[in-house]
Amino acid sequence: MNANIILVIMFAGLTLFMLTGLPIAFVLGGLSLLITVTLWDPNAVVIMVLQIFDTMRSEALLGIPLYIFMAAILQRTGVIEELYGVMEIWFGRLRGGLAIGTVLICVLMAAMTGVVGAAVTAMGLLAMPEMLKRGYDPKLVTGTICASGTLGILIPPSILTIVYAVTAQVSIGKMLIAGIVPGIILATFYILYILYVAYAHPERIPQSRRERVPFLTKLRSVKGVIFPIILVILILGSIFFGIATPTEAAAVGVAGAFIIGMLKRKLDYSGVRHATFETAKATTMILWITIGAKAYVSVFTGLGGADTLLNLIRDMQVHPYVILAAMMLILIFLGTVLDEIGIILLTVPVFLPIVKLLGFDEIWFGVLYAITIQTGYISPPFGYTLFYIKGPLPAHLGMGTVYKGVLPFMILQICALAFCVAFPDLVTWLPSLMDRH
């Protein structure tokens, strides 16, 4: 059968099976094997096997279970609850202070764990009831939590960043560090928007009636952020200064999480056992998606799909940024129906040759990639984060409130994306400094 017809069948089959709700890993792997055996060449199965085997030997992927394990341990140490307590003490009296504090906690959680679901769920349980009790607009509350929770996709240590770097074959360390400045920019946009709402539309965020907290009490509360900050410095500092590889830094993070748990006396055998089980489940899911995506991409490449796409782009008489914008829109859409690991493994091998052809920097593109996936994660009606917040959402609030709440933050994310496109040095500046150490 003609290769182009098989490629069309591959895309049509992928779309059809994804709509059935089947696990993406088995859709990708099963469809690839079926098409290879029935429509292409049964002997080509060896290409799939070699691609999968090569990926499974990658030492860089060792960082993934380590970062997941670190996040699972930290969730049992009480660090998140302490951070929220500090935030209440310092920002409770400021108009919009609880929402601003929520953004800052999500930044710290992103830098400690890089797990989106954990941040959204924790803030949904801790911050949402307090903000609603004090009269905050429910739309602002849900939008702040959903958007801030996705910062773990961008700010290191991000599992997504590691998978992108391995797939794109770029420096994992530089890719991780590249997300710091854009992540801070995005968090700043959120805080500025909250302040704008607080003072331009005061009916949406009432003035706090909390009693004034003595400054000495505030100073004493700072001890609640000491452990998280030390852990962040250990992980990111060791990567930035070249003291440790990202995988070794992950091991440092796990050791740090254990030490925090023991010092706080909140980590026992049962907690470690459950954290290990959660890590095994999450890692297994990621590896199955990796296997399925590698099989699919190997068939796509073997049939000449990448070359066909490159020739098509080369013949198009449009500005490179138009093609970049089209790729970003595709990623935002995929972010509403696929998890971030599946998106990267499926699209990076297809998009990266185009990026190189257009002369764009791969690390810069990787950060744009992360921001667009963040946007897809909060895009109604199927964004993953919207379902994370559904659990802790009070009974009197519907998903319509959540959908309306995330729209302003989607605009802010698109603005941040445009900002990073217009000023690429903001992304590449920190990674370039690593070459000097």
Side-chain angles (χ1 to χ4, degrees):
M1 186 178 287
N2 182 276
N4 289 334
I5 295 175
I6 297 176
L7 287 171
V8 171
I9 294 172
M10 283 183 69
F11 281 115
L14 179 62
T15 305
L16 177 65
F17 283 117
M18 279 198 307
L19 292 174
T20 65
L22 289 169
I24 183 64
F26 303 123
V27 168
L28 290 168
L31 186 63
S32 305
L33 183 61
L34 182 64
I35 287 175
T36 301
V37 172
T38 58
L39 301 180
W40 188 19
D41 181 0
N43 294 321
V45 172
V46 70
I47 299 174
M48 296 168 51
V49 174
L50 289 174
Q51 285 284 330
I52 292 167
F53 183 69
D54 186 57
T55 302
M56 293 299 102
R57 289 191 308 165
S58 172
E59 291 185 10
L61 290 175
L62 282 173
I64 293 175
L66 288 172
Y67 282 121
I68 295 173
F69 189 46
M70 179 183 71
I73 292 293
L74 284 173
Q75 286 177 30
R76 289 163 171 79
T77 60
V79 167
I80 299 169
E81 289 79 1
E82 282 193 15
L83 282 175
Y84 183 72
V86 175
M87 178 267 290
E88 271 206 298
I89 290 172
W90 278 88
F91 298 103
R93 284 180 56 82
L94 175 68
R95 188 186 286 272
L98 291 183
I100 292 170
T102 299
V103 175
L104 295 176
I105 287 179
C106 286
V107 169
L108 269 176
M109 286 185 66
M112 285 192 299
T113 67
V115 179
V116 172
V120 174
T121 304
M123 289 300 97
L125 292 170
L126 294 172
M128 189 178 348
E130 286 297 319
M131 285 192 277
L132 292 175
K133 187 169 69 177
R134 299 191 191 179
Y136 278 61
D137 181 356
K139 294 191 289 295
L140 180 72
V141 172
T142 54
T144 299
I145 293 172
C146 285
S148 301
T150 61
L151 288 170
I153 292 176
L154 186 60
I155 295 175
S158 166
I159 303 300
L160 177 145
T161 300
I162 296 172
V163 176
Y164 172 87
V166 171
T167 309
Q169 296 184 339
V170 297
S171 166
I172 297 176
K174 288 185 177 181
M175 194 65 242
L176 285 168
I177 297 300
I180 294 176
V181 173
I184 292 172
I185 290 172
L186 202 49
T188 304
F189 280 9
Y190 296 162
I191 291 172
L192 291 175
Y193 171 70
I194 291 165
L195 288 172
Y196 164 75
V197 172
Y199 291 96
H201 303 279
E203 72 281 359
R204 297 184 64 187
I205 303 179
Q207 180 65 50
S208 174
R209 294 187 176 86
R210 276 195 56 168
E211 67 282 359
R212 184 179 296 276
V213 179
F215 185 69
L216 190 59
T217 304
K218 287 185 175 182
L219 279 181
R220 286 172 181 162
S221 72
V222 171
K223 66 181 181 181
V225 302
I226 291 176
F227 284 134
I229 289 175
I230 290 175
L231 191 62
V232 170
I233 292 172
L234 281 174
I235 296 170
L236 299 186
S238 61
I239 294 173
F240 182 81
F241 291 106
I243 299 170
T245 66
T247 303
E248 291 166 348
V252 171
V254 171
F258 265 102
I259 291 171
I260 291 172
M262 287 187 290
L263 289 175
K264 290 182 174 296
R265 298 180 181 179
K266 291 188 177 180
L267 193 63
D268 53 17
Y269 172 75
S270 176
V272 175
R273 185 167 59 86
H274 282 99
T276 305
F277 185 64
E278 286 177 15
T279 302
K281 284 199 300 182
T283 305
T284 303
M285 179 195 71
I286 291 171
L287 290 179
W288 271 114
I289 294 173
T290 304
I291 290 170
K294 273 291 181 180
Y296 189 89
V297 170
S298 65
V299 176
F300 176 82
T301 306
L303 287 167
D307 293 333
T308 301
L309 196 57
L310 283 174
N311 291 331
L312 178 65
I313 301 255
R314 196 178 284 114
D315 294 338
M316 291 174 68
Q317 301 299 316
V318 296
H319 196 280
Y321 281 94
V322 174
I323 298 171
L324 179 68
M327 289 191 286
M328 296 296 104
L329 287 172
I330 291 170
L331 291 173
I332 290 173
F333 167 73
L334 289 176
T336 66
V337 294
L338 289 177
D339 68 279
E340 70 269 29
I341 305 298
I343 296 169
I344 287 178
L345 294 169
L346 193 58
T347 58
V348 167
V350 178
F351 283 177
L352 207 62
I354 299 171
V355 170
K356 292 178 180 177
L357 177 69
L358 299 175
F360 294 135
D361 182 87
E362 294 102 310
I363 289 178
W364 171 74
F365 180 73
V367 170
L368 302 186
Y369 216 98
I371 297 173
T372 51
I373 290 175
Q374 276 185 272
T375 307
Y377 250 49
I378 65 171
S379 298
F382 302 119
Y384 268 54
T385 308
L386 308 180
F387 295 103
Y388 290 143
I389 203 172
K390 189 174 182 180
L393 196 67
H396 67 279
L397 295 180
M399 288 305 292
T401 302
V402 180
Y403 294 160
K404 291 174 185 175
V406 296
L407 290 178
F409 291 92
M410 284 181 63
I411 294 170
L412 291 173
Q413 288 180 338
I414 293 169
C415 288
L417 179 66
F419 202 68
C420 291
V421 169
F423 303 102
D425 287 347
L426 290 172
V427 176
T428 57
W429 171 63
L430 269 182
S432 67
L433 293 180
M434 294 175 67
D435 293 328
R436 302 178 189 178
H437 297 287

